[in-house]
Amino acid sequence: MSSRNRLRTSLPKLGIRPVIDGRYGGVRESLEGPVMAMAQVAADLVTKELRHSCGDAVECVIADRCIGGASEAASCEEKFLREGVGLSLTVTPCWCYGSETTDLHPTRPKAIWGFNGTERPGAVYLAAALAGHNQKGRPCFSIYGQDVQDSGDSSVPPYVKERILRFVRAGVAAATMPGTSYLAMGGVSMGIAGSIVDQSFFEKYLGMRVESIDMSEFERRIEHEVYDQDEYETALLWTKENCAEGRDWNAPDMRRSRAHLDQEWETSVKMALIARDLMVGNPRLADAGHHEAAQGHNALASGFQGQRQWTDFMPNGDYMEAVLCSSFDWSGVRQPYVFATENDSLNAVSMLFGHLLTGSAQLFSDVRTYWSPDAVQRVTGWQPEGRAEHGFVHLINSGPSALDWSCVHGPVRPWWEMTGTEARLCLEATQWCPSMTEYFPGGGWSTDFTTTGGHPVTMCRVNLVDRLGPVLQIAEGWTVPLPEHVHTVLDERTNPSWPTTWFVPKLTGAAPFSSVYEVMSHWGANHGAISPGHIGGDLIALAAMLRIPIDMHNVGEAFRPSAWQRFGGMDIQGADYRACAAYGPLFG
């Protein structure tokens, strides 16, 4: 198990299956070297280019010998099971025996890379094997170069490289979730449907269990000091030195006393420690005799209800959520946690997808307001221009907006690329405003920063629909900068103590991406999860693996298993729905 992996499950590995023409007497013998070399090239590419979300390189397991038939396929499978392989890539430059050499594991994501060459019919095997996969109900991704390569050419063409890496990124994400948990801290927040945690969805589509605690557990641990006392002192000191207080936007008669604010800081820090311990455990608690608490819930993602039963008398969870979701805290740079406000489990899943694919901190936001060009000009006198010329969406929420998303250090990147200096810049760009007492009678703090503009991002959201199941929506776009006075006017029309991101989706000219207004109008819930970069292609591949159809996206090319074409290749979106319905949830 990885030293960085904080869960009780090991990291999935990529299994590489070199398949070969089984005929001895000159055919197989001439191919042994090239086939195994192709497997090694794929392994080197993946190990060099890809990491798990925890930061460790993706490990590859290559079959001990080339697979020419069912016996060698069985030996390979035995090794894969022993080594913890979570996804497989079959590679070959030649004809092989189709159904005798394929990977038939029922839930493992699969792909085949068939070498495009003229000396041996790799494309023929690829087509035959894919037909076998489809006939047997084992969907498989097809990877085939666009240009003919010479025999012995060990290079990986850009198109093939992009497909291999996309498949592995998505496959690793799909294989990481099984055996872990979603931890619901509390129940339904203010009637938000996403916080009605659907255990069947988590179990059947993601392979995750749902764990649940009452928020009174926080109160118990605070009262009985069930947290690391030394770490609490360190975290509180770090908070006092690095989390600058901002403007108190409360009316004078609604402002809390200095003594009350100081106590809110102390409670907020304790809540962050307790939430983390609830998710992944803490061996230091066992040293103090809290053996059960030390175990945690093996939670890959979590959510905190907060409103209103907690926040009506206790500090809100904004500090806890923002710090846990960031790439750093009092311990230095570290992997972000996936932690959703209002226990919105579906937005937590959306954040989880983004984090597993990118290794970066995620932004949780309300998809709050569409500002049309006319409305902006009317209230500010400024005519939107550039990427903002068709209007923009105000993304804002008091909850877990990771501090990375101030972007003062540049675009959000994988957490292992964050430096201590960049973390300080993010902290310096953030102010912590006393929460609005009318919203949060128990007090607490709200992060206040503005995301810098010009960064490519992807917003996504999983929604559950009765009689349909889960669907995923994707909107690639950019953050946009606004003139300072324009930002101030628009920001102060809502809650200026909360962090703001101005977002513009990429428009395609076709509905619902014909206008910024239409994108917001078609968004399926009040929340969205935002990830750095344009990762829509990876999300589509992951969704296909999990059997979750896409109801809207603005991504150029979709990479899905070859079987999807058989469900109606001339109606791509309809084929996605039909294939997902036919195969059913991956773990169901």
Side-chain angles (χ1 to χ4, degrees), residues 190 307 311 316-323 341-342 363-366 368 395-403 431-436 439-440 443-449 494-500 527:
M190 302 182 295
Q307 297 183 81
T311 57
N316 63 26
D318 290 12
Y319 171 92
M320 166 182 65
E321 294 159 358
V323 170
T341 194
E342 293 160 350
L363 181 71
F364 181 117
S365 276
D366 281 350
R368 197 174 185 90
L395 302 177
I396 179 172
N397 191 289
S398 70
S401 294
L403 306 186
Q431 292 188 322
W432 298 80
C433 300
S435 62
M436 303 303 290
Y439 263 52
F440 304 112
W445 301 89
S446 295
T447 50
D448 182 21
F449 60 76
T494 177
N495 192 326
S497 67
W498 294 354
T500 280
H527 293 148

Side-chain angles (χ1 to χ4, degrees), residues 58-77:
V58 175
E59 293 186 53
C60 297
V61 178
I62 302 177
D64 292 331
R65 59 179 296 173
C66 294
I67 302 168
S71 178
E72 288 162 326
S75 296
C76 172
E77 180 62 20

Side-chain angles (χ1 to χ4, degrees), residues 415-426:
W415 69 267
W416 53 82
E417 296 181 6
M418 173 74 75
T419 67
T421 299
E422 291 171 337
R424 284 193 295 274
L425 290 174
C426 292

Side-chain angles (χ1 to χ4, degrees), residues 96-391:
C96 316
Y97 306 153
S99 62
E100 297 180 25
T101 59
T102 51
D103 178 358
L104 295 180
H105 191 282
T107 61
R108 180 185 297 148
K110 307 165 187 61
I112 299 175
W113 172 24
F115 184 81
N116 186 357
T118 55
E119 289 76 7
R120 298 285 183 176
V124 179
Y125 168 74
L126 177 62
L130 291 172
H133 275 283
N134 296 346
Q135 189 169 333
K136 294 175 181 296
R138 297 287 188 264
C140 184
F141 288 78
S142 173
I143 302 173
Y144 183 64
Q146 294 177 326
D147 299 308
V148 171
Q149 293 178 258
D150 296 332
S151 176
D153 183 353
S154 61
S155 66
V156 183
Y159 180 80
V160 172
K161 177 180 177 180
E162 185 268 336
R163 288 285 174 113
I164 290 175
L165 296 180
R166 174 155 293 166
F167 165 75
V168 177
R169 275 193 299 266
V172 165
T176 298
M177 293 182 281
T180 65
S181 305
Y182 175 79
L183 176 59
M185 302 177 181
V188 180
S189 174
M190 302 182 295
I192 294 173
S195 58
I196 304 172
V197 183
D198 189 309
Q199 297 199 20
S200 178
F201 163 68
F202 277 91
E203 293 170 4
K204 292 182 178 181
Y205 283 89
L206 311 180
M208 298 173 66
R209 72 173 71 234
V210 172
E211 297 278 283
S212 182
I213 64 159
D214 191 87
M215 290 183 294
S216 61
E217 176 64 5
F218 278 83
E219 197 170 13
R220 183 188 76 84
R221 293 196 184 200
I222 291 171
E223 183 176 339
H224 293 277
E225 299 185 335
V226 184
Y227 50 84
D228 186 333
Q229 304 288 327
D230 292 336
E231 186 180 13
Y232 164 66
E233 296 297 336
T234 299
L236 183 62
L237 179 61
W238 176 87
T239 300
K240 290 179 177 179
E241 292 177 347
N242 293 280
C243 297
E245 292 187 18
R247 176 177 171 180
D248 190 340
W249 292 87
N250 285 289
D253 62 333
M254 298 291 282
R255 292 176 182 172
R256 283 115 46 200
S257 69
R258 182 68 254 174
H260 198 289
L261 294 174
D262 290 340
Q263 187 176 22
E264 291 171 25
W265 275 123
E266 294 174 3
T267 301
S268 295
V269 172
K270 292 174 184 176
M271 289 170 64
L273 292 170
I274 290 168
R276 182 206 60 196
D277 293 349
L278 283 164
M279 289 183 70
V280 300
N282 185 347
R284 293 293 300 274
L285 300 183
D287 297 339
H290 306 294
H291 298 284
E292 185 178 3
Q295 294 298 312
H297 291 265
N298 197 39
L300 190 59
S302 188
F304 182 73
Q305 174 193 336
Q307 297 183 81
R308 290 196 25 235
Q309 286 73 17
W310 180 266
T311 57
D312 277 3
F313 80 108
M314 292 289 284
N316 63 26
D318 290 12
Y319 171 92
M320 166 182 65
E321 294 159 358
V323 170
L324 288 179
C325 284
S326 298
S327 298
F328 52 86
D329 60 16
W330 48 88
S331 66
V333 174
R334 52 99 177 109
Q335 183 184 3
Y337 294 83
V338 175
F339 200 90
T341 194
E342 293 160 350
N343 193 29
D344 186 345
S345 62
L346 297 180
N347 219 56
V349 168
S350 307
M351 295 168 68
L352 179 58
F353 288 174
H355 176 63
L356 292 176
L357 291 169
T358 67
S360 63
Q362 303 294 293
L363 181 71
F364 181 117
S365 276
D366 281 350
V367 185
R368 197 174 185 90
T369 308
Y370 164 66
W371 278 100
S372 68
D374 290 345
V376 173
Q377 187 173 44
R378 178 178 61 82
V379 301
T380 70
W382 179 69
Q383 180 65 41
E385 58 189 21
R387 285 201 173 109
E389 66 176 331
H390 300 299

